[in-house]
Amino acid sequence: MSARRAFLILYTRVEIEEYNPMVRSRIQIKKIENIAARQVTFSKRRRGLFKKAQELSTLCDAQIGLIVFSSTGKLHNFSTTRMSQIIQRYMPHTNNLDHQLDASLQPQPEDCAILCKEVAEKNRELRQMKGEGLEELGIEELAKLEKKIERSCARVRHMKDVKCEKLITGLKQKGCKLAQHNKRLKEKMSEVAEVHTLENQSSSSSSKHSSYLQNYNAKLDTSLKLA
């Protein structure tokens, strides 16, 4: 196969995978929040894991034992032979594994030396950023330090401006909400005042009507007495 033909085949395959909606996309490895989807994925992948273990045992004549606990605490296991036999073979090796793990966790002298050197360098840079220990620096190093401090100050000022803008925007929004709330309160107060005015008018008219009735009754009584 010529190089040109191989390139065309590869290019066509890439185009098909790019524009074909049926091509499976890469799944992001993170915890599945949906409980039902999590259980379905666990069941499918558990079966796939056990199948791969069976294939590995068949191909390589290996003894394999798998122990899996689901999120609900249910036990699932797979073994090419009896699980107890595999565990018995595994137990004598636990001490060696613990020893290897402890040895791997112990820091090596070379790593300690590198870390100490990096810490000393960072401490020196920090002191220089504070304006300490500048006597040992030359003109070029001082110029570089000045530019670094200017960039840091620019970033600090930019972040301060962003924070101030957010604060001002939040205060403006609160002011608008308070103004709307005050407007609604004024409308309610005007409505209450109108209701009180109507009540006062109705009470005054009723009092006038009652006084008119009293005067009429008094005149009627007087006329009856005279009669």
Side-chain angles (χ1 to χ4, degrees), residues 3-226:
R4 179 179 177 82
R5 185 177 179 184
F7 174 78
L8 290 175
I9 293 174
L10 179 60
Y11 181 77
T12 305
R13 185 178 300 172
V14 170
E15 284 188 336
I16 292 173
E17 291 180 355
E18 183 177 0
Y19 295 103
N20 188 3
M22 299 301 293
V23 176
R24 296 178 61 184
S25 60
R26 185 181 297 275
I27 299 175
Q28 187 177 3
I29 302 300
K30 65 178 183 178
K31 182 180 178 181
I32 301 174
E33 299 298 335
N34 188 288
I35 298 176
R38 189 192 308 164
Q39 293 294 333
V40 172
T41 304
F42 174 77
S43 299
K44 291 182 179 179
R45 299 224 171 189
R46 174 176 54 82
R47 289 194 296 267
L49 177 62
F50 290 172
K51 182 179 179 181
K52 292 294 183 182
Q54 179 65 44
E55 293 176 356
L56 178 62
S57 175
T58 303
L59 292 173
C60 303
D61 192 20
Q63 290 187 356
I64 301 174
L66 297 176
I67 298 175
V68 180
F69 287 96
S70 66
S71 59
T72 58
K74 187 176 180 180
L75 171 64
H76 303 273
N77 60 74
F78 169 82
S79 60
T80 55
T81 59
R82 294 179 59 184
M83 182 64 74
S84 59
Q85 294 179 357
I86 296 176
I87 293 175
Q88 288 177 359
R89 289 191 61 184
Y90 168 76
M91 291 304 295
H93 299 279
T94 55
N95 295 328
N96 295 331
L97 292 175
D98 294 337
H99 179 71
Q100 293 176 2
L101 181 61
D102 294 337
S104 63
L105 293 176
Q106 292 179 358
Q108 300 297 325
E110 297 82 3
D111 298 335
C112 291
I114 294 172
L115 289 175
C116 291
K117 185 177 179 180
E118 291 180 356
V119 170
E121 183 67 23
K122 295 300 180 182
N123 288 331
R124 186 177 65 84
E125 292 180 359
L126 182 60
R127 289 196 304 271
Q128 291 175 358
M129 293 288 289
K130 292 180 179 179
E132 301 175 359
L134 302 179
E135 294 81 6
E136 59 184 9
L137 299 179
I139 297 177
E140 294 182 358
E141 293 176 344
L142 289 172
K144 291 180 181 179
L145 180 61
E146 183 181 6
K147 291 181 180 179
K148 186 185 295 185
I149 293 174
E150 288 177 354
R151 288 195 297 268
S152 300
C153 292
R155 288 194 293 268
V156 171
R157 284 193 294 268
H158 174 70
M159 184 56 62
K160 184 189 70 174
D161 295 338
V162 171
K163 295 287 185 180
C164 290
E165 289 179 359
K166 288 183 179 180
L167 180 61
I168 292 171
T169 303
L171 292 175
K172 287 182 179 179
Q173 292 177 355
K174 289 182 179 179
C176 293
K177 290 180 180 179
L178 290 174
Q180 293 176 358
H181 184 65
N182 291 333
K183 184 178 179 181
R184 289 194 295 269
L185 288 176
K186 289 180 180 179
E187 292 176 354
K188 289 182 179 180
M189 290 177 65
S190 62
E191 292 176 358
V192 171
E194 290 178 359
V195 171
H196 283 300
T197 303
L198 293 174
E199 289 178 352
N200 292 330
Q201 290 178 356
S202 61
S203 62
S204 62
S205 61
S206 61
S207 62
K208 289 180 180 180
H209 182 67
S210 61
S211 62
Y212 174 77
L213 290 176
Q214 290 177 359
N215 293 330
Y216 178 77
N217 291 330
K219 290 180 181 180
L220 183 61
D221 292 337
T222 304
S223 61
L224 289 174
K225 289 179 181 180
L226 292 175

